[in-house]
Amino acid sequence: MPFEYANPSSDALQVVERWTRPDAEHIHVETRIEDPKFYTKPFTYSRTWSLGNPDEQVQEFSCSENNHPGHLGLGPGPVRKDGTIGYENPDPVPVPVKPQ
């Protein structure tokens, strides 16, 4: 029984992602999850991303820490042998690069 960050799944898991481009400014994904051994009915997740400005840079973010660059942690990491989550020997967090 594999666990993915507290979301159980079994050998019956089926995941279908549908990526679409509703227009030139957006990308949309809809994900359907079905696993009758763990969930009573299938469920979906959807999200739409907007195109950024040409001069924007991709910024690092962490969903688990409210997407605030000032307090990024090490992230969740893999499940350790003892059942806890995190990296065994994480690299130090790099110093942020300031735009010029």
Side-chain angles (χ1 to χ4, degrees):
M1 171 175 59
F3 281 88
E4 298 293 330
Y5 302 111
N7 297 315
S9 62
S10 74
D11 58 346
L13 174 68
Q14 289 191 10
V15 178
V16 176
E17 288 184 335
R18 178 172 289 147
W19 292 81
T20 56
R21 193 74 187 253
D23 56 48
E25 305 293 318
H26 298 89
I27 294 176
H28 179 79
V29 63
E30 184 166 308
T31 305
R32 177 184 165 92
I33 294 129
E34 183 175 347
D35 190 337
K37 292 183 180 179
F38 277 97
Y39 303 108
T40 58
K41 61 183 180 179
F43 59 95
T44 59
Y45 163 82
S46 64
R47 183 167 183 177
T48 302
W49 289 273
S50 297
L51 182 68
N53 295 322
D55 59 342
E56 287 182 322
Q57 293 183 352
V58 176
Q59 299 293 316
E60 183 178 13
F61 70 94
S62 174
C63 293
S64 64
E65 302 219 6
N66 202 21
N67 295 339
H68 189 279
H71 63 277
L72 284 174
L74 298 173
V79 177
R80 298 180 187 139
K81 292 177 185 175
D82 66 0
T84 60
I85 295 177
Y87 293 98
E88 298 290 339
N89 298 306
D91 290 334
V93 177
V95 176
V97 177
K98 294 183 181 181
Q100 296 181 1

